[in-house]
Amino acid sequence: MPPAIRFDVVTVFPEIFGPVFAAGVVGRAMARGLVQLEAHDLRRYAHDRHRQVDDVPYGGGPGMVLKPEPLFEAIEEIKAHNSGPVILLEPWGERFDQGLARELAGEPGLVLVCGRYEGIDDRVRQAQADREVSIGDYVLSGGELAAMVIIDAVSRLVPGVLGDEESLAGDSFAGDELGHPQYTRPAEYRGLRVPEVLLSGNHKEIEAWRRAQARRRTLARAGAPRPER
Ligand code: 9D3
């Protein structure tokens, strides 16, 4: 069975991807062959014996810039077996949200290119990239954590990745709300009681309570991104 989605990541830190996805639902989907992830070491595509993948910026300034040649060659090789869009992880990219996750989950694969240092030679964007994506307005040290966020959020939308236990329906409430508060046993802990309605066994009332709580959360967090509209 071919994977439902394939992620190829270009990075100078390929070794950090394995452990992150070894556990959890995405790791299980990978073990089942439903999701395939390959992290490609950019240094393997370096041209010189020092395996140099960065160089000083033209025009001067601090830091280093990822050189075009290793990135072009890595991306071109990956494109031969991954027909999905090439996405550069960039702080100024289009904001990743649940809508974009859904869109990307419909692709056969994604090629995720992680920047490091001051950034990526712009010719990579000009000639190789289909889009640029950011995960939010804060400064990370590179694109790897952003790529992992995207892999996680996209993978769980691939049909069959989630079991019945953690099914997609649980991501939304009435299709449009944030979740309601959750409780498990014991019914009282350190004087804190579980709301009586949840112990009542009255499913109609429980449903109404949850709906109201979810609405409260949504209003209290107005402007917060909504999962699974
Ligand atoms: C300090 C360097 N900055 C000068 C204005 C630019 C800059 C370059 C590279 C800032 C951060 C980075 C590394 N970040 C990413 O590669 C990145 C990122 C992020 O920082 N925030 C949110 N999403 C992303 S996706 C890739």
Side-chain angles (χ1 to χ4, degrees):
M1 186 186 67
I5 193 164
R6 176 184 172 92
F7 299 98
D8 285 282
V9 184
V10 181
T11 169
V12 292
F13 297 116
E15 70 280 2
I16 67 181
F17 284 79
V20 168
F21 295 108
V25 294
V26 178
R28 200 189 329 129
M30 287 174 184
R32 288 158 59 210
L34 207 51
V35 172
Q36 204 170 321
L37 167 61
E38 206 169 313
H40 304 262
D41 185 358
L42 184 61
R43 286 189 201 286
R44 276 211 314 115
Y45 298 86
H47 284 192
D48 63 312
R49 59 188 186 83
H50 294 111
R51 317 248 96 190
Q52 199 175 334
V53 293
D54 58 343
D55 205 342
V56 296
Y58 270 119
M64 302 289 271
V65 174
L66 286 177
K67 295 164 62 61
E69 307 94 316
L71 282 165
F72 266 69
E73 289 166 31
I75 294 167
E76 281 168 352
E77 188 180 300
I78 290 163
K79 275 178 171 172
H81 55 257
N82 188 328
S83 58
V86 174
I87 298 174
L88 303 193
L89 287 319
E90 296 282 20
W92 52 81
E94 168 188 8
R95 175 72 64 86
F96 185 70
D97 63 11
Q98 192 67 13
L100 183 51
R102 256 195 309 271
E103 184 185 336
L104 296 178
E107 298 284 357
L110 301 178
V111 182
L112 299 168
V113 180
C114 304
R116 275 275 152 181
Y117 318 114
E118 288 306 300
I120 300 170
D121 186 289
D122 201 60
R123 290 167 290 192
V124 177
R125 180 188 61 77
Q126 292 167 35
Q128 301 285 355
D130 294 301
R131 59 209 296 178
E132 297 166 274
V133 174
S134 161
I135 60 165
D137 287 341
Y138 33 79
V139 181
L140 301 172
S141 307
E144 284 78 8
L145 283 169
M148 290 178 189
V149 165
I150 291 170
I151 291 165
D152 188 82
V154 169
S155 293
R156 58 197 304 290
L157 296 178
V158 170
V161 166
L162 295 187
D164 293 340
E165 286 284 292
E166 58 273 287
S167 88
L168 280 180
D171 281 1
S172 66
F173 194 84
D176 188 14
E177 299 279 4
L178 298 171
H180 50 77
Q182 300 280 11
Y183 295 89
T184 186
R185 290 180 289 186
E188 179 173 341
Y189 180 65
R190 299 197 178 185
L192 301 168
R193 291 198 51 81
V194 172
E196 215 56 47
V197 59
L198 296 179
L199 312 176
S200 69
N202 184 333
H203 295 291
K204 259 195 125 90
E205 266 187 52
I206 290 171
E207 183 76 355
W209 180 86
R210 286 181 164 171
R211 207 175 280 276
Q213 290 292 315
R215 164 56 49 91
R216 252 183 72 176
R217 244 185 206 179
T218 302
L219 294 177
R221 302 201 51 220
R226 293 172 165 198
E228 285 306 311
R229 186 130 26 147

